[in-house]
Amino acid sequence: GGWENDETVEEAAIREAWEEAGVQGDLMHFLGNYSFKSKTLQDEFSPEGLCKAAMFALLVKEELECWPEQSLRQRSWLTVPEALGCCRHSWMRKALEEGFSEWHDNGMISTMTENNHLVASPASFPDHH
């Protein structure tokens, strides 16, 4: 989703998870930046529609019954291989294959900051892959 001018990229990721999927939780790891082209975002400043997505792993702590885009989207829980098969764009597959898989293989260590302190502890949640 989009990134508003009055929020950090981390705040945007948390907000988009709530708006699009109806989930709330904690950002665990920055998976990387991925570039792509968007026809809908072509304008005078970016005639090619060049965009950059910042991808994060989110530890879901709550599934909401109602969320802003529930009439537009369907929430589904998938394994990584299932999700790879559903990705519409190659950059999304790359984020899962490279970013998430590397983080998973490294023991799902949290690398996000809390109050400007690096969190570096093993994630304690079920291994769903």
Side-chain angles (χ1 to χ4, degrees):
W3 178 9
E4 305 298 331
N5 291 332
D6 65 341
E7 63 188 354
T8 66
V9 68
E10 293 84 3
E11 290 168 337
I14 291 169
R15 178 183 49 75
E16 288 293 340
W18 165 67
E19 286 179 359
E20 295 184 0
V23 294
Q24 294 182 328
D26 299 327
L27 293 183
M28 299 298 292
H29 181 73
F30 175 65
L31 301 175
N33 287 311
Y34 297 87
S35 298
F36 64 98
K37 291 183 180 183
S38 171
K39 291 179 182 175
T40 60
L41 296 177
Q42 290 174 323
D43 61 19
E44 63 184 291
F45 302 108
S46 182
E48 296 172 352
L50 296 177
C51 298
K52 181 170 67 173
M55 302 295 287
F56 295 88
L58 177 79
L59 172 59
V60 174
K61 292 188 169 182
E62 184 178 8
E63 274 184 71
L64 303 169
E65 294 294 322
C66 299
W67 66 94
E69 297 183 19
Q70 71 185 61
S71 63
L72 304 172
R73 302 176 188 279
Q74 181 179 351
R75 177 174 52 212
S76 301
W77 295 105
L78 306 170
T79 64
V80 171
E82 289 170 337
L84 285 168
C86 295
C87 289
R88 293 183 3 214
H89 305 289
S90 61
W91 69 269
M92 292 177 179
R93 282 189 295 280
K94 187 174 182 181
L96 277 174
E97 289 173 328
E98 294 177 4
F100 182 83
S101 295
E102 179 181 319
W103 174 65
H104 181 270
D105 292 347
N106 287 327
M108 295 183 289
I109 303 297
S110 176
T111 60
M112 301 308 296
T113 58
E114 287 182 12
N115 301 324
N116 297 321
H117 294 81
L118 182 65
V119 175
S121 59
S124 56
F125 51 93
D127 185 12
H128 296 296
H129 55 321

